[in-house]
Amino acid sequence: MESAGRFFFDPSACQGNMLVLGKRDPVFRGPRSMMNMEESSKRGLFFSSPEDFFEEEYYDEQSPEKKRRLTAEQVHLLENSFELENKLEPERKSQLAKDLGLQPRQVAVWFQNRRARWKTKQLERDYDLLKSSYDTLRSNYDSLVKENENLKSEVASLTEKLEAKEATITSSLGQESDSHPVGIANASALQVSVKVEDRLSSGSNGSAVVDEEGPHLVDSGDSYFPNDNYVGCVAPLDGFHSEDDDGSDDGRSYFSDVFAAAAEPQQHEEGEPLGWWVWS
DNA sequence: TTGTGTTTTATTGCCTCC
DNA sequence: GGAGGCAATAAAACACAA
């Protein structure tokens, strides 16, 4: 690599007087804004070593306008420093610049760009996290909808059977009513069956579950699920919005908690920031 | 070799904080 | 008002397929 092993040499620095540029002073000028050689020698150029600065041959060969990449070693040191702390105090900036043979402005720019890169990566990570959460929730929701459908059809089939049985009982009672008085037992049976049917047909959309041996009847109209475990699963779905929803947020969004949780500061590997770009 | 996409280095303009 | 941060962007350097 052409730039390997080169240093950005600041002539003033070797006199124990590091040149500190103002915020808007360019590190070097590209084709957009050329600077002459006199300016270049004041501002500093890229060289393999401080000694090269004084070698006229090298000076002639190397265009001062060329943008040079940092060496692997420089990048490694900067990365280490970034891992320690992604913000740069003036003292650390000066020290790093001195250690690396760079201008403080270059160090600051490198940190600026590094933070931007980190933020992009972090956004990608967060997106993946939220997407997988969404996918899981979506699949749970879909299976609950399926289960709901199955339970509905089960209720319908049971209701049908009950009605058939009831019809049989009614007709047999009709046949016997002439010759025999209605027995107490039969009357009770009828009452029970009617009562059960009433309960089956009550509630929203006939949503009731009858099982004398099973859990308690839930007839609130909110859920088919008989106990708190199921209710816990279903309740948040009340606020679930499909893609073509009107977007009103009067109901609780199923995903709001997930998004909130995902947005909460997390511990990342390698001492990375805890939040979106907030460091510990 | 060359065209093209990606990464890195640097600038500019705007904003916030002290 | 100056310093520092960030977003947007330019442009050089680099990677890589054709």
Side-chain angles (χ1 to χ4, degrees):
Chain A
M1 191 189 294
E2 197 186 20
S3 61
R6 297 222 170 88
F7 297 91
F8 188 92
F9 178 58
D10 177 5
S12 62
C14 67
Q15 298 164 358
N17 181 25
M18 179 71 86
L19 179 68
V20 179
L21 298 175
K23 189 195 172 194
R24 298 303 178 207
D25 289 335
V27 173
F28 73 86
R29 303 297 179 107
R32 274 194 299 182
S33 54
M34 308 288 276
M35 64 177 170
N36 59 35
M37 284 298 184
E38 196 181 333
E39 276 178 322
S40 303
S41 64
K42 282 179 192 164
R43 294 183 185 282
L45 304 166
F46 286 100
F47 295 97
S48 298
S49 67
E51 289 73 31
D52 284 331
F53 177 73
F54 299 105
E55 291 178 10
E56 205 173 344
E57 194 181 329
Y58 189 98
Y59 189 88
D60 287 341
E61 277 178 2
Q62 303 298 315
S63 164
E65 320 302 346
K66 288 288 176 189
K67 186 187 280 186
R68 300 226 182 269
R69 294 206 163 185
L70 304 180
T71 67
E73 203 175 342
Q74 285 170 324
V75 170
H76 182 69
L77 233 157
L78 286 165
E79 286 286 355
N80 286 346
S81 184
F82 185 84
E83 268 187 36
L84 240 57
E85 173 69 52
N86 78 334
K87 290 282 174 65
L88 205 53
E89 323 82 68
E91 307 84 55
R92 199 156 70 100
K93 178 166 69 178
S94 299
Q95 189 56 52
L96 264 174
K98 209 172 177 182
D99 293 346
L100 295 167
L102 297 170
Q103 286 194 0
R105 171 71 182 150
Q106 278 181 293
V107 175
V109 165
W110 188 90
F111 266 73
Q112 194 81 65
N113 289 321
R114 185 66 181 79
R115 280 195 294 271
R117 284 197 295 272
W118 177 85
K119 188 179 169 182
T120 305
K121 282 271 183 290
Q122 185 61 30
L123 283 170
E124 284 171 11
R125 278 193 289 265
D126 288 337
Y127 171 79
D128 289 342
L129 199 73
L130 289 175
K131 189 173 184 307
S132 79
S133 291
Y134 170 79
D135 290 343
T136 306
L137 291 169
R138 181 80 218 188
S139 123
N140 286 347
Y141 171 77
D142 288 344
S143 60
L144 285 173
V145 166
K146 250 180 205 163
E147 196 177 341
N148 190 8
E149 290 303 317
N150 290 340
L151 288 170
K152 272 184 185 173
S153 65
E154 198 179 332
V155 166
S157 119
L158 287 172
T159 305
E160 213 171 286
K161 282 179 187 171
L162 201 61
E163 280 170 354
K165 202 164 192 175
E166 197 183 300
T168 312
I169 292 170
T170 308
S171 67
S172 69
L173 281 177
Q175 285 170 2
E176 293 174 7
S177 62
D178 293 339
S179 52
H180 306 285
V182 176
I184 294 172
N186 280 344
S188 300
L190 181 61
Q191 278 176 354
V192 167
S193 82
V194 168
K195 215 173 189 177
V196 167
E197 188 190 274
D198 283 347
R199 296 181 73 176
L200 276 173
S201 60
S202 68
S204 61
N205 301 322
S207 58
V209 174
V210 174
D211 186 351
E212 289 177 10
E213 300 300 318
H216 296 297
L217 179 74
V218 175
D219 194 17
S220 63
D222 289 337
S223 170
Y224 281 96
F225 297 95
N227 59 36
D228 288 344
N229 294 336
Y230 284 98
V231 169
C233 292
V234 175
L237 288 171
D238 291 345
F240 175 79
H241 297 289
S242 62
E243 286 92 340
D244 48 3
D245 204 346
D246 60 5
S248 62
D249 59 354
D250 49 325
R252 246 180 356 124
S253 167
Y254 191 94
F255 298 109
S256 61
D257 290 344
V258 177
F259 277 74
E264 271 175 19
Q266 300 165 36
Q267 186 64 52
H268 295 276
E269 72 276 20
E270 301 171 9
E272 286 185 331
L274 294 173
W276 287 81
W277 33 85
V278 178
W279 282 57
S280 55

